[in-house]
């Protein structure tokens, strides 16, 4: 197989990217040769060679199309498989090289802090004159919570991920051990790659919700659990270095959330029963992990009374343990009579096991386990074992602080119209209000506020007479009350209302909470925070007014005070992008945060923004730390929630070294976001941005919403229908089966445009807006904005990455799938011109001759992949033609088409 030469730098052991790529390619070649013969390698190399030649111009593209058209289905499948496996392996080589770059940067920048590290963040605070007391206040308020969502665009199976992890470990060992045997590494890789080659890339059945829950939790067990203590130790060391005369406590400011099993919006598979099963699975897996960790401690803390002296303050643990487990106590007294720490921790292990099994002696909540672990810690410190206390024991304490008993806090999400429909039916059936949904906003709010304040119940205990939908809505809240009162206390904190348009949408949730004892009458003692999700252009614009109305309601203020008087507000990027386009969406989100924060502050409350960012640019994606620094000044204040979606989970948390880097970047940015100076020309910049948003939205809407042929264009020139059949996740592609683009989820929308290499959501309207701004204000001002305003720079840099992954030549071939030639040429003419305009204008403003000149590693990666992605696109095009000609009934055609979707997703490393 062809190996393009790329110099990515060497590792400390002398290996570099080229060496990894050569080794992996040779291994794949050997596996393919033994399994399917030399002719498969020849087909692969011929397709790649034609693709490379086509990129340089000439007739090679047509020859590649002819080659693909002549392939039968079996040969098409094996070509797709060879290209997909190559991508999966080269992804490993790139991840390995990222680890090398991180280490080289450490060496190059020493003794100065590594850029983006927590050490750098604390050094910046110290340089700014922030006192230790002020840092302590910041840390006590600070919180960073990445929230994992299901993997609807993570096209790889878990068995594939496990095999790739094994191969990656071999690569890392070659770097870590200069004397490592390359031939032995090759032998190990050959065995695993043959497993990979012979495995089915598609799932035999669709994912269930619990499959998705397990898939998310696996990252905690494999990488996050070991990474968390390291992040906290980094922060502790930095504080000791830059504030040596002060003792600054580090609270658990980094923790995790999850939507998997709690996100009900449009997913009929997430029932109340499924959410209970999710919470129980999270609890069991976390407690099993903690049990293993405490057992490991028990094995290691072998300090002897006779040598180290009396272990003070362990008696309460030892006495209760002997009472709960007399046989175990007798056994321990016999075999470990002089090892009190080992006996104490063995009792703690038994209590964690009992907690998992709901047996006598169980802990009722994580704070009880923490109290016991800290008692052991104090005893060690008082008895001369302080160094031991700061080792594995401190790591376990951090893990319990961060993970609790569930690894993450589960968010619940439902669409506003579901609550409204349920209450409409309840009010009508009880004869209270015949047409609640048609009431003016002010009357809905008055009705809801009155019923929230009323001590008498509105909803009867027997809800059998209501519709299935209304019963499920009420049962969801009853389930949450039971879960929070039982084994899952503290495991759910947040109820998110997607599609929020008015204050009434949130008061409806508060009423349902009051009716199920999740809050008292009048809003006091609320057990959940109610979170609006503003995600469309109009709702983002109205967000400040919506929050002002909401916070003016006494019943809601009472509920907010119950949860710390902090209002969480979620900002959606995906649906707003689909609604108004990339530029207008980004600006609408920015303005909504600024204005909403001012409203909340005026009402005397605090806030935390929850950013619903996806992996792809069209869904708010891009480098996390850059995105945090690009947020409006004054809106972060050390507190931030953000979603981690789709392929991002495997990319960020699949490798411990990369997981550590991603978490330190996000944590450091969250702590220091407020330090960045704002330009004196900010008002000018914002006025230009206002004009650009209007120009881009107009361009976007004229095509996407106003052109009567656009929906047909989208469904014809992208594999969106085929994507809906790919077993990507438990959630349907549309919120409503009969809906159009408005009801199409943002994920398949972005995924489909990416597959066809148009990548429309990341640039449509940008080129027009930049041209207008340059002509009205001058290029120098736009360049100044890019240099001095992080928001604008990030907006352009993310679009630049997406434009670099777009391929107009390939995209034009996808447009030929639609047989309406005049309509397709008209629409594609507009799109092709706008794509070129966007690319040209980005080059001018970012002052680069070629896209990504300032990001050479990413540029090299895209260049390396391009000749291998294109053959997959040609195969996909051919198979889509055949599939659609056959009326979509050929199972083998459909199956291979889905394989091309997986392959292109791996090749682009940005699925959507």
């Amino acid at each position: 197989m062809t190996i393009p030469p790329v110099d990515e730098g060497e590792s400390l052991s002398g290996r570099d990217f080229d060496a990894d790529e050569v080794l992996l390619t040779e291994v794949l070649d050997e596996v393919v040769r033994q399994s399917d013969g030399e002719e498969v390698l020849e087909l692969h190399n011929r397709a790649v060679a034609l693709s490379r030649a086509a990129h340089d111009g000439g007739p090679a593209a047509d020859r590649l199309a002819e080659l693909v058209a002549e392939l039968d289905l079996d040969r098409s499948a094996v070509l797709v498989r060879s290209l997909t496996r190559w991508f999966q392996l080269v992804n490993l080589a790139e991840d390995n090289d990222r680890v090398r770059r991180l280490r080289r940067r450490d060496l190059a920048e020493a003794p100065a802090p590594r850029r983006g590290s927590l050490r750098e963040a604390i050094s910046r605070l110290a340089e700014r004159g922030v006192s230790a007391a002020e840092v302590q206040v910041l840390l006590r308020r600070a919180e960073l919570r990445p929230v994992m969502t299901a993997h609807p665009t993570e096209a790889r199976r878990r068995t594939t991920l496990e095999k790739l992890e094994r191969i990656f470990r071999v690569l890392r060992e070659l770097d870590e051990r200069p004397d490592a045997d390359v031939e032995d590494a090759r032998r190990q890789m050959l065995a695993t790659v043959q497993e990979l080659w012979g495995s089915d890339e598609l799932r035999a059945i669709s994912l269930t919700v619990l499959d998705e829950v397990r898939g998310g939790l696996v990252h905690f067990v494999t990488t996050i659990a070991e990474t968390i203590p390291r992040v906290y130790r980094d922060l502790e060391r930095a504080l000791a270095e830059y504030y040596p005369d002060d003792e600054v406590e580090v609270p658990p400011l980094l923790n995790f959330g999850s939507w998997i099993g709690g996100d009900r919006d449009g997913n009929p598979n997430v029932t109340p029963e499924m959410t209970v099963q999710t919470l129980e699975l999270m609890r069991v897996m976390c407690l099993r992990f903690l049990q293993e960790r405490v057992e490991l401690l028990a094995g290691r803390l072998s300090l002897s009374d006779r040598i180290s002296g009396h272990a003070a303050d362990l008696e309460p643990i030892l006495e209760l343990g002997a009472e709960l487990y007399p046989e175990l106590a007798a056994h321990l007294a016999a075999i470990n009579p002089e090892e009190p720490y080992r006996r104490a921790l063995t009792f703690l292990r038994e209590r964690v096991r009992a907690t998992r099994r709901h047996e006598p002696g169980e802990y009722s909540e994580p704070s009880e386990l923490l109290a016991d672990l800290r008692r052991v810690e104090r005893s060690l410190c008082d008895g001369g074992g302080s160094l031991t206390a700061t080792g594995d024991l401190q790591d376990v304490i951090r893990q319990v602080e961060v993970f609790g008993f569930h690894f993450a806090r589960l968010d619940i999400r439902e669409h506003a119209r579901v609550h409204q429909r349920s209450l409409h039916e309840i009010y009508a059936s009880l004869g209270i209000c015949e047409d609640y949904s048609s009431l003016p906003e002010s009357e809905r709010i008055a009705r809801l506020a009155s019923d929230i304040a009323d001590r008498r119940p509105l909803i009867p205990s027997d809800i059998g007479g209501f519709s299935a939908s209304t019963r499920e809505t009420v049962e969801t809240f009853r389930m949450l009350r039971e879960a929070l009162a039982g084994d899952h206390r503290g495991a759910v904190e947040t109820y998110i209302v997607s599609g929020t348009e008015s204050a009434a949408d949130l008061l409806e949730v508060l009423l349902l909470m009051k009716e199920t004892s999740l809050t008292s009458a009048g809003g006091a003692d609320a057990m959940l925070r109610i979170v609006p999700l503003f995600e469309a252009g109009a709702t983002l614009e109205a967000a400040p007014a919506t929050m002002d109305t909401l916070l003016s309601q006494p019943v809601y203020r009472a509920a907010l005070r119950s949860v710390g008087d902090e209002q969480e507000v979620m900002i959606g990027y995906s649906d707003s992008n689909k609604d108004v386009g990339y530029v207008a969406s980004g600006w609408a989100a920015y303005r909504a945060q600024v204005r909403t924060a001012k409203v909340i502050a005026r009402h005397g409350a605090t806030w935390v923004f929850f950013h619903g960012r996806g992996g792809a640019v069209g869904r708010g994606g891009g480098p996390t730390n850059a995105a945090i620094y690009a947020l409006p000044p004054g809106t972060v204040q050390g507190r931030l929630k953000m979603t981690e979606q789709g392929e991002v989970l495997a990319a960020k948390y699949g490798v411990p070294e990369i997981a550590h880097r991603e978490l330190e970047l996000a944590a450091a940015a969250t702590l220091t976001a407020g330090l960045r100076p704002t330009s004196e020309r900010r008002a000018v910049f914002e006025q230009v941005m206002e004009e650009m948003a209007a120009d881009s939205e107009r361009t976007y809407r004229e095509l996407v919403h106003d052109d009567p042929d656009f929906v047909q264009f989208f469904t014809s020139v992208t594999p969106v229908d085929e994507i809906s059949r790919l077993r990507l996740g438990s959630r349907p592609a549309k919120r409503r089966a009969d809906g159009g683009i408005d009801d199409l989820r943002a994920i398949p929308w972005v995924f489909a445009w990416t597959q066809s290499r148009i990548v429309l959501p990341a640039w449509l309207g940008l080129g027009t807006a930049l041209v207008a701004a340059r002509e009205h204000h001058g290029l120098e001002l736009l360049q100044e904005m890019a240099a001095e305003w992080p928001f604008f720079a990030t907006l352009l840099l993310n679009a630049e990455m997406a434009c670099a992954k777009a391929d107009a030549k390939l995209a034009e071939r996808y447009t030929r799938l639609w047989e309406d030639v005049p309509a397709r040429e008209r629409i594609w003419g507009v799109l092709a011109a706008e794509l070129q305009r966007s690319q040209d204008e980005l080059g001018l403003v970012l002052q680069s001759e070629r896209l990504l000149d300032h990001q050479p590693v990413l540029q090299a990666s895209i260049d390396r992949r391009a000749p291998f992605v294109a053959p997959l696109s040609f195969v996909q095009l051919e198979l889509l033609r055949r599939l659609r000609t056959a009326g979509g009934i050929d199972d083998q055609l459909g199956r291979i088409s889905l394989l091309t979707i997986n392959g292109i997703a791996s090749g682009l490393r940005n699925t959507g």
Side-chain angles (χ1 to χ4, degrees), residues 135-359:
V135 170
Q136 186 68 80
V137 170
L138 171 63
L139 293 178
R140 284 177 178 160
R141 169 171 166 71
E143 180 182 30
L144 171 64
R145 185 180 297 182
V147 179
M148 294 189 173
T149 71
H151 303 203
T153 62
E154 175 50 79
R156 292 174 293 177
R157 299 174 61 201
R158 197 183 316 157
T159 186
T160 300
L161 293 173
E162 186 272 335
K163 291 173 175 58
L164 294 172
E165 167 65 15
R166 282 157 53 196
I167 298 167
F168 185 79
R169 285 295 121 208
V170 177
L171 279 181
R172 288 301 310 138
E173 187 173 343
L174 286 174
D175 265 25
E176 299 289 346
R177 292 178 49 201
D179 61 339
D181 186 342
V182 176
E183 286 307 310
D184 185 60
R186 185 191 306 272
R187 178 190 59 76
Q188 294 179 62
M189 288 183 181
L190 281 168
T192 309
V193 171
Q194 190 165 62
E195 292 175 25
L196 189 66
W197 179 255
S199 299
D200 198 336
E201 186 67 7
L202 293 181
R203 300 177 179 95
I205 58 174
S206 296
L207 274 178
T208 67
V209 174
L210 289 181
D211 288 332
E212 292 177 328
V213 174
R214 293 186 188 95
L217 292 175
V218 74
H219 294 290
F220 287 96
V221 177
T222 56
T223 59
I224 294 174
E226 67 179 271
T227 301
I228 285 297
R230 184 180 168 195
V231 171
Y232 278 97
R233 283 196 298 271
D234 291 346
L235 183 52
E236 288 166 347
R237 282 196 295 265
L239 289 166
E241 178 183 359
Y242 291 99
Y243 294 93
D245 300 326
D246 301 278
E247 187 172 333
V248 181
E249 176 192 356
V250 179
L253 53 90
L254 172 61
N255 55 68
F256 292 84
S258 176
W259 277 14
I260 313 174
D263 185 6
R264 303 172 48 77
D265 181 14
N267 191 345
N269 299 308
V270 181
T271 61
E273 295 78 13
M274 184 57 65
T275 298
V276 171
Q277 291 178 44
T278 295
L279 287 167
E280 192 58 32
L281 179 58
M282 294 169 69
R283 184 177 182 274
V284 166
M285 288 188 67
C286 186
L287 285 168
R288 183 177 289 120
F289 164 78
L290 292 175
Q291 177 186 325
E292 292 170 355
R293 293 292 293 157
V294 175
E295 184 167 19
L296 186 65
L297 283 177
R300 290 180 176 176
L301 267 65
S302 57
L303 283 73
S304 168
D305 267 346
R306 184 163 51 85
I307 296 174
S308 302
H310 176 65
D313 205 28
L314 285 187
E315 286 80 3
I317 295 176
L318 295 172
E319 291 171 2
L320 180 58
E323 178 184 335
L324 291 169
Y325 311 108
E327 292 183 6
L328 176 62
H331 177 69
L332 292 173
I335 64 172
N336 306 122
E338 298 176 345
E339 297 174 339
Y341 294 104
R342 178 167 281 173
R343 299 202 310 276
L345 286 163
T346 301
F347 287 137
L348 299 194
R349 178 205 66 192
E350 285 303 302
R351 293 195 64 190
V352 174
R353 190 202 310 270
T355 306
R356 177 167 61 85
R357 295 176 173 177
H358 303 288
E359 294 175 350

Side-chain angles (χ1 to χ4, degrees), residues 79 84 94 121-122 211 232 268 358 366 391 393 405 467 505 511 535 564 671 730 841 847 857 872 887-888:
L79 175 59
T84 300
E94 290 186 351
I122 299 302
D211 288 332
Y232 278 97
H358 303 288
L393 175 60
F405 285 168
S467 66
D505 294 334
L511 175 57
E535 50 195 332
L671 291 176
S730 66
E841 293 299 314
Q847 303 179 67
V857 173
L872 284 171

Side-chain angles (χ1 to χ4, degrees), residues 111 388 506 520 574 606 666 850 869 905:
T388 300
L506 304 170
S520 301
S574 304
T606 59
R850 184 170 171 240
V869 177

Side-chain angles (χ1 to χ4, degrees), residues 625-899:
N625 62 324
I628 294 172
Y629 285 129
L631 295 173
T635 62
V636 177
Q637 297 187 336
R639 297 182 66 75
L640 188 70
K641 281 180 70 174
M642 58 185 183
T643 52
E644 299 279 39
Q645 304 199 46
E647 76 281 6
V648 167
L649 289 183
K652 286 189 173 183
Y653 301 113
V655 177
E657 295 89 344
I658 293 176
H660 173 266
R661 179 58 172 166
E662 292 291 343
L663 288 173
E664 78 166 353
L665 284 169
T670 301
L671 291 176
T672 59
L675 295 182
R676 297 215 161 193
T678 57
S679 172
E680 296 177 356
R681 306 243 292 159
R682 179 175 163 185
V684 175
F685 294 170
E686 291 183 350
Q687 179 57 43
V688 174
M689 195 63 228
E690 191 79 33
E691 296 168 9
M692 285 183 59
D695 290 337
S696 68
E697 181 179 354
R698 185 163 46 251
T699 299
Y700 182 89
R701 296 191 70 86
E702 283 175 358
L703 187 63
V704 173
H705 295 288
D706 298 341
D707 192 307
D709 295 320
F710 186 80
V711 173
Q712 186 61 46
F713 177 84
F714 170 59
T715 57
S716 298
V717 309
T718 72
V720 64
D721 291 335
E722 290 73 20
I723 286 169
S724 68
R725 293 197 294 272
L726 180 55
R727 298 181 180 95
L728 291 170
S730 66
R731 180 188 299 278
K734 291 185 177 181
R735 287 186 169 92
R736 293 185 302 172
D738 59 347
I741 281 183
D742 288 342
D743 277 291
L744 183 73
R745 293 193 173 279
I747 291 172
W749 166 259
V750 175
F751 199 11
W753 288 116
T754 304
Q755 287 279 313
S756 62
R757 307 303 300 279
I758 298 173
V759 204
L760 173 150
W763 52 261
L764 180 56
L766 174 63
T768 297
L770 284 172
V771 168
R774 177 170 54 80
E775 291 177 348
H776 294 157
H777 301 284
L779 179 59
E780 287 186 3
L781 177 58
L782 294 178
Q783 291 174 341
E784 181 187 353
M785 290 169 64
E788 297 187 14
W789 192 14
F791 167 78
F792 190 67
T794 301
L795 187 83
L796 297 189
L797 291 173
N798 287 341
E800 181 192 33
M801 178 185 69
C803 286
K805 292 187 176 185
D807 188 320
K809 293 178 182 177
L810 272 175
E812 190 275 332
R813 289 181 176 268
Y814 275 87
T815 68
R816 300 179 200 174
L817 290 169
W818 192 21
E819 295 178 354
D820 188 337
V821 177
R824 85 181 185 209
E825 289 186 350
R826 174 176 54 79
I827 294 175
W828 174 240
V830 173
L831 289 175
E834 181 68 5
L835 174 59
Q836 187 63 56
R837 193 177 297 119
S838 298
Q839 292 171 333
D840 291 345
E841 293 299 314
L842 284 168
L844 288 173
V845 178
L846 297 175
Q847 303 179 67
S848 59
E849 294 184 9
R850 184 170 171 240
L851 294 176
L852 299 176
D853 273 348
H854 49 281
Q855 297 187 68
V857 173
L858 179 57
Q859 187 185 68
S861 175
I862 293 174
D863 288 346
R864 180 187 309 120
R865 293 158 181 276
F868 296 83
V869 177
L872 284 171
S873 295
F874 276 83
V875 174
Q876 185 178 88
L877 281 164
E878 176 61 27
L879 295 179
L880 286 174
R881 289 192 189 95
R882 296 183 196 178
L883 189 66
R884 293 173 181 181
T885 300
I889 58 175
D890 189 309
D891 288 343
Q892 191 180 9
L893 264 175
R895 181 178 182 79
I896 303 171
S897 296
L898 299 186
L899 287 171

